[in-house]
Every structure is written in structure tokens, then in C-alpha cells.
Coordinates of all heavy atoms in Angstrom, one line a residue:
N1 N -5.9 8.2 -4.4 CA -6.1 9.6 -4.8 C -5.7 10.5 -3.6 O -6.5 11.1 -2.9 CB -7.5 10.0 -5.2 CG -7.6 11.4 -5.8 OD1 -6.6 12.0 -6.2 ND2 -8.8 11.9 -5.8
V2 N -4.4 10.6 -3.3 CA -3.9 11.4 -2.2 C -2.8 12.3 -2.7 O -2.0 11.9 -3.6 CB -3.3 10.5 -1.1 CG1 -2.7 11.3 0.0 CG2 -4.4 9.6 -0.5
G3 N -2.7 13.5 -2.2 CA -1.7 14.4 -2.7 C -0.3 14.1 -2.1 O 0.4 13.3 -2.6
V4 N 0.0 14.7 -0.9 CA 1.2 14.4 -0.2 C 1.0 13.6 1.1 O 0.1 14.0 1.9 CB 1.9 15.8 0.2 CG1 3.2 15.5 1.0 CG2 2.3 16.5 -1.1
H5 N 1.8 12.6 1.3 CA 1.7 11.8 2.5 C 2.7 12.4 3.5 O 3.9 12.6 3.1 CB 2.1 10.4 2.3 CG 1.0 9.6 1.5 ND1 -0.1 9.0 2.2 CD2 1.0 9.2 0.2 CE1 -0.8 8.4 1.3 NE2 -0.2 8.5 0.1
N6 N 2.3 12.8 4.7 CA 3.2 13.3 5.7 C 3.6 12.0 6.6 O 2.8 11.5 7.4 CB 2.5 14.3 6.6 CG 3.4 14.9 7.6 OD1 4.5 14.4 7.9 ND2 3.0 16.0 8.3
G7 N 4.8 11.6 6.4 CA 5.2 10.4 7.0 C 5.1 10.4 8.5 O 4.9 9.4 9.2
F8 N 5.3 11.6 9.1 CA 5.4 11.7 10.6 C 4.0 11.7 11.2 O 3.8 11.7 12.4 CB 6.1 13.0 11.0 CG 7.6 12.9 10.5 CD1 8.0 13.6 9.4 CD2 8.5 12.1 11.2 CE1 9.3 13.5 9.0 CE2 9.8 12.1 10.8 CZ 10.2 12.8 9.7
N9 N 2.9 11.6 10.3 CA 1.6 11.3 10.8 C 1.3 9.9 10.7 O 0.2 9.4 11.2 CB 0.6 12.1 10.0 CG 0.6 13.6 10.3 OD1 1.2 14.1 11.3 ND2 0.1 14.4 9.3
Y10 N 2.2 9.1 10.2 CA 2.0 7.6 10.0 C 0.7 7.3 9.3 O 0.0 6.4 9.6 CB 2.0 6.9 11.4 CG 3.2 7.3 12.2 CD1 3.1 7.9 13.5 CD2 4.5 7.2 11.7 CE1 4.2 8.3 14.2 CE2 5.6 7.6 12.5 CZ 5.4 8.2 13.7 OH 6.5 8.6 14.5
A11 N 0.4 8.2 8.3 CA -0.8 8.0 7.5 C -0.8 6.8 6.6 O 0.3 6.4 6.2 CB -1.1 9.3 6.7
P12 N -1.9 6.3 6.2 CA -1.9 5.1 5.3 C -1.4 5.5 3.9 O -1.8 6.5 3.4 CB -3.3 4.6 5.3 CG -4.1 5.8 5.7 CD -3.3 6.6 6.6
C13 N -0.6 4.6 3.3 CA -0.2 4.7 1.9 C -0.5 3.5 1.2 O -0.9 2.5 1.8 CB 1.3 5.1 1.9 SG 2.4 3.9 2.6
A14 N -0.3 3.4 -0.1 CA -0.6 2.3 -0.9 C 0.6 1.4 -1.1 O 1.7 1.9 -1.5 CB -1.1 2.7 -2.3
I15 N 0.4 0.1 -0.9 CA 1.5 -0.9 -1.1 C 1.0 -2.0 -1.9 O -0.2 -2.3 -2.0 CB 2.1 -1.4 0.2 CG1 1.1 -2.2 1.0 CG2 2.7 -0.2 1.0 CD1 1.8 -2.9 2.2
L16 N 1.9 -2.7 -2.6 CA 1.6 -3.9 -3.4 C 2.1 -5.1 -2.6 O 3.3 -5.1 -2.2 CB 2.2 -3.9 -4.8 CG 1.5 -3.1 -5.9 CD1 1.4 -1.6 -5.5 CD2 2.3 -3.2 -7.2
V17 N 1.3 -6.1 -2.4 CA 1.7 -7.3 -1.7 C 1.3 -8.5 -2.6 O 0.3 -8.4 -3.3 CB 1.0 -7.4 -0.3 CG1 1.4 -6.3 0.6 CG2 -0.5 -7.5 -0.4
P18 N 2.0 -9.6 -2.5 CA 1.6 -10.8 -3.3 C 0.3 -11.3 -2.9 O -0.1 -11.3 -1.7 CB 2.7 -11.8 -3.0 CG 3.9 -11.0 -2.4 CD 3.2 -9.8 -1.7
S19 N -0.5 -11.8 -3.8 CA -1.8 -12.5 -3.5 C -1.5 -13.8 -2.8 O -0.3 -14.3 -2.8 CB -2.6 -12.7 -4.8 OG -1.8 -13.5 -5.7
E20 N -2.5 -14.4 -2.2 CA -2.3 -15.6 -1.4 C -1.8 -16.8 -2.3 O -1.0 -17.6 -1.8 CB -3.6 -16.0 -0.8 CG -4.1 -15.1 0.3 CD -5.3 -15.7 1.1 OE1 -5.6 -16.9 0.8 OE2 -5.9 -15.0 1.9
D21 N -2.1 -16.8 -3.5 CA -1.6 -17.9 -4.4 C -0.2 -17.6 -5.0 O 0.4 -18.5 -5.6 CB -2.6 -18.2 -5.5 CG -2.9 -17.1 -6.4 OD1 -2.1 -16.1 -6.4 OD2 -3.8 -17.2 -7.3
G22 N 0.3 -16.4 -4.7 CA 1.6 -16.0 -5.2 C 1.7 -15.8 -6.7 O 2.8 -15.6 -7.2
K23 N 0.6 -15.7 -7.4 CA 0.6 -15.5 -8.8 C 0.3 -14.1 -9.3 O 0.5 -13.8 -10.4 CB -0.3 -16.5 -9.5 CG 0.0 -18.0 -9.3 CD -1.0 -18.9 -9.9 CE -0.6 -20.4 -9.7 NZ -1.6 -21.3 -10.3
D24 N -0.2 -13.3 -8.4 CA -0.6 -12.0 -8.7 C -0.3 -11.1 -7.5 O 0.3 -11.5 -6.5 CB -2.1 -11.9 -9.0 CG -2.5 -10.7 -9.8 OD1 -1.7 -9.8 -10.0 OD2 -3.7 -10.5 -10.1
F25 N -0.7 -9.8 -7.5 CA -0.5 -9.0 -6.4 C -1.8 -8.2 -6.1 O -2.7 -8.0 -6.9 CB 0.6 -8.0 -6.6 CG 0.4 -7.0 -7.8 CD1 -0.2 -5.8 -7.6 CD2 0.8 -7.4 -9.1 CE1 -0.4 -4.9 -8.6 CE2 0.6 -6.5 -10.1 CZ 0.0 -5.3 -9.9
D26 N -1.9 -7.7 -4.8 CA -3.0 -6.9 -4.4 C -2.5 -5.5 -4.0 O -1.4 -5.4 -3.5 CB -3.8 -7.5 -3.2 CG -4.4 -8.9 -3.6 OD1 -5.0 -9.0 -4.7 OD2 -4.2 -9.8 -2.8
I27 N -3.3 -4.5 -4.2 CA -3.0 -3.1 -3.7 C -3.8 -2.9 -2.4 O -5.0 -3.0 -2.4 CB -3.3 -2.1 -4.7 CG1 -2.6 -2.3 -6.1 CG2 -2.9 -0.7 -4.2 CD1 -3.0 -1.4 -7.2
V28 N -3.1 -2.7 -1.3 CA -3.7 -2.5 0.0 C -3.1 -1.3 0.6 O -2.2 -0.6 0.1 CB -3.5 -3.7 0.9 CG1 -4.1 -5.0 0.2 CG2 -2.0 -4.0 1.2

């Protein structure tokens, strides 16, 4: 729940990465 990310602040954003078993993904 974030409005605008200012990239030049290097703020955290949401990414999807594969889960450890490679069968699903996590949002981190």
C-alpha cells in the first residue's frame, strides 16, 4: 500500500521471487 516510489531514495518496493522449492513465488 504505497503511492509513488521515488527511485532516487532507493526506497523498498515489492518484488516477486521464486520460492525455495521453485514451485511457487513469494512477495518480498
